[in-house]
């Protein structure tokens, strides 16, 4: 049998945030420890959960080296912007981690990993061009809005929204795929927290570049 598909959504439907939160309750739990990836997407995700869920950053992990506070139980941490292949350890990432999902892999333990490509059954062999084109922060914002944790973010947040994981480049480099994921994630609905940034921005390209310039300076 092929590996089990995550059940909260299927590729034929739009994402169901309520079902996702039920399946992965740790994603909206309060007062957790978290481990971040040491890049802009990881830092933004860490800022989000520390401010709105009272999580505490316990360390950083780049896939090779892990630095953490003393005495931290990694089984009790949530890993942000990375996928952890360990039973029961919560993690959320955005990378394409399966080459061929029809192959049986005995050590596949992503049961607690919230991963958009796996949600849609996308692997490198058959769906590389359809892989998730946004960052962990975009998925995390969507989920926390679905849980009623956050309702809106300031307009000047467009800079990190477009900068994280090269989203600005992806929008114009891979428009068909980005539009497909915008539909799937319900960002094209005017109530979505990212709608004003990706679907109805009143800014022109020059203004967006100015926002990004100020963001880089900071």
């Amino acid at each position: 049998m092929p590996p089990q598909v995550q059940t909260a959504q299927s590729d034929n439907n739009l994402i169901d945030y309520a079902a996702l939160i039920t399946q992965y309750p740790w994603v909206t739990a309060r007062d957790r420890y978290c481990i971040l990836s040491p890049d802009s997407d990881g830092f933004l995700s860490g800022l989000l959960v520390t401010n709105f869920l009272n999580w505490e950053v316990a360390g950083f992990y780049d896939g090779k080296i892990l630095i953490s506070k003393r005495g931290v139980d990694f089984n009790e941490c949530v890993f942000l912007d990375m996928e952890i292949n360990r039973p029961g350890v919560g993690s959320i990432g955005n990378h394409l981690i399966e080459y061929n999902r029809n192959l049986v892999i005995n050590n596949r333990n992503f049961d607690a990993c919230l991963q958009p490509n796996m949600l849609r059954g996308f692997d490198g062999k058959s769906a590389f061009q359809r892989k998730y084109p946004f960052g962990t922060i975009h998925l995390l914002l969507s989920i926390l809005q679905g849980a009623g944790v956050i309702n809106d973010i300031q307009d000047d947040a467009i800079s990190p929204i477009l900068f994280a994981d090269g989203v600005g480049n992806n929008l114009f480099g891979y428009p068909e795929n980005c539009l497909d994921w915008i539909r799937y994630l319900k960002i094209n609905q005017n109530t979505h927290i990212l709608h004003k940034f990706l679907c109805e921005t009143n800014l022109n390209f020059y203004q967006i570049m100015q926002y990004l310039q100020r963001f880089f300076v900071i």
Side-chain angles (χ1 to χ4, degrees):
M1 292 179 62
Q4 184 179 359
V5 180
Q6 296 194 34
T7 57
Q9 292 83 24
S10 67
D11 186 34
N12 295 323
N13 301 310
L14 302 181
I15 193 168
D16 184 340
Y17 289 111
L20 197 67
I21 293 163
T22 298
Q23 186 173 347
Y24 304 95
W26 51 262
V27 75
T28 57
R30 295 187 60 81
D31 305 317
R32 297 293 304 266
Y33 283 113
C34 60
I35 305 291
L36 309 181
S37 68
D39 64 12
S40 62
D41 196 12
F43 294 151
L44 288 170
S45 298
L47 284 171
L48 184 65
V49 297
T50 53
N51 277 278
F52 288 94
L53 294 175
N54 198 40
W55 288 17
E56 181 179 340
V57 177
F60 299 90
Y61 181 46
D62 67 356
K64 296 179 180 179
I65 298 174
L66 191 153
I67 299 175
S68 72
K69 295 181 178 181
R70 292 185 181 275
V72 172
D73 182 353
F74 301 121
N75 292 308
E76 298 298 322
C77 293
V78 175
F79 289 74
L80 297 179
D81 193 35
M82 69 195 84
E83 294 81 5
I84 299 299
N85 184 17
R86 181 173 295 183
V89 176
S91 63
I92 176 171
N94 63 80
H95 311 93
L96 194 62
I97 58 174
E98 292 183 300
Y99 170 69
N100 183 348
R101 69 183 334 276
N102 292 316
L103 295 177
V104 176
I105 304 175
N106 293 328
N107 66 343
R108 183 181 183 275
N109 293 308
F110 292 107
D111 61 304
C113 177
L114 201 170
Q115 220 288 338
N117 293 302
M118 292 172 65
L119 289 174
R120 300 187 73 180
F122 290 175
D123 61 16
K125 181 179 180 181
S126 61
F128 182 80
Q129 298 300 322
R130 300 186 67 190
K131 65 181 180 177
Y132 181 75
F134 304 131
T136 299
I137 183 62
H138 306 93
L139 180 60
L140 195 53
L141 276 167
S142 304
I143 294 170
L144 294 189
Q145 183 195 25
V149 174
I150 182 173
N151 295 315
D152 194 16
I153 46 180
Q154 296 179 351
D155 291 353
D156 58 4
I158 190 170
S159 301
I161 290 299
L162 292 179
F163 177 74
D165 269 22
V167 166
N169 294 330
N170 290 338
L171 291 174
F172 297 101
Y174 309 95
E176 183 177 2
N177 187 44
C178 289
L179 287 170
D180 176 58
W181 279 95
I182 285 173
R183 174 198 62 82
Y184 177 76
L185 296 171
K186 301 181 183 177
I187 297 173
N188 59 333
Q189 299 181 11
N190 59 15
T191 55
H192 195 283
I193 196 168
L194 295 175
H195 182 84
K196 64 181 178 180
F197 301 110
L198 300 181
C199 299
E200 63 172 26
T201 178
N202 293 319
L203 300 174
N204 57 46
F205 290 129
Y206 183 73
Q207 290 171 308
I208 291 174
M209 286 189 291
Q210 288 180 314
Y211 267 120
L212 287 170
Q213 182 185 41
R214 289 196 291 269
F215 180 67
F216 297 152
V217 170
I218 294 173

